[in-house]
Structure formats: structure tokens, C-alpha cells
Amino acid sequence: LLLATDLPDDMADERDSREAAMSRLEPALVAGAYDRDKRRSLRFNVEETVRVAESVRDRLSSDNWRVLARLGARVGGGQAAEPDLNDTLELLDDVILALVAAAGLEMAHMTRDDGWRFLSLGRHLERLAFVGATLDAQDRMRDVADVEGAGLDFAHDAVDKEWHVVVEDLEH
């Protein structure tokens, strides 16, 4: 969804029909997952994460390293020659599972000190930034495609909850 905020300005032109907008959105989303050269792409970020993890491998648990290595292998290769939206959605599902596993391992093995609080605060700020970008993309897509709701109404409540957690963390 963050890639939707990077759509060309001409896509926001009211002359674009919903079909034209959506026909350009799908290839942009697929490319955004697999493009190694785009800094905001999934593949670029996973490969960079694995690269950095390799440099501190001796400080990672073997379970954490195994999850990250599998994630890198899944994203870095083995995709169809011409991935489509279904391939991309399957990849995203696998990536979400791997990232949840890595986050769980990180939280289970980390001492709850100031470093943990700082990491937790950063995670909440990242969530707020993501939800804000998602809401912006939702508004842009509503303008372009005349889409109502798009199933993202939950995001308003999520922002409110995350903001309260950030404020509580800052007060401690």
C-alpha cells in the first residue's frame, strides 16, 4: 500500500477511469515487491536486512538467523519469471509470517531495559507512519478510482491506539 503513495501524479487526474487506474496499480504493486533496485521495494529491504544480519550473525540466536536466512532465500529467488498479483500476494503472506516469527524471537530473547523501550517506541512510531501513509493512499485511491471505504476504516482506530501507546512510553 505504501507503493500506492508513489503513483504518478497523472494517475490522480480525474479523467482516469477506475479501470485505467487499477490496471496501472497492479503492475506497480507487483514491481514494488520484486524490484531489486528500488529502495522502497520489498526485495531491496529484505536483502538489506539479511545483509546487515550477516554482519552481526554471531549476536543473533540460531533460530533468529534461520528465520532471516529463509526470508532472504524466499524473497531473493525462486519467483516466477513473470510474477503476477497472485505470486505477489503469496510472497507477501510468506514474508508476513517470517517477520512475525522474527519479531517474536526478538521480543522473547531481549532484556526489558532502556534499549528495549527505545526499540518498542520505534516500532510504534513506524506503525503510526505506516498507518498514516495507508490512510493517505486510501484517500488518493478514493479520488482516483471513486472507491468507497476500501476496507481501511479500521486504520483510524489503529492510529489512535498506537498514539496512546507512544505517549505512555514517552511518559515512562
Side-chain angles (χ1 to χ4, degrees), residues 10 25 48 62 72 76 87 92 101 107-108 113 120 134-135 157 171:
D10 67 333
L25 178 62
E48 285 299 299
S62 60
D87 296 327
L92 290 175
M107 295 305 290
D113 59 3
S120 177
T134 302
L135 290 173
D157 292 335
E171 288 176 349

Side-chain angles (χ1 to χ4, degrees), residues 46 50 53 60-74 94-105:
V46 167
V50 172
L60 295 174
S61 70
S62 60
D63 292 335
N64 208 332
W65 171 250
R66 193 168 44 251
V67 168
L68 291 173
R70 282 185 187 165
L71 175 62
R74 173 64 175 100
D94 292 346
V95 168
I96 288 170
L97 289 174
L99 292 176
V100 167
L105 288 167

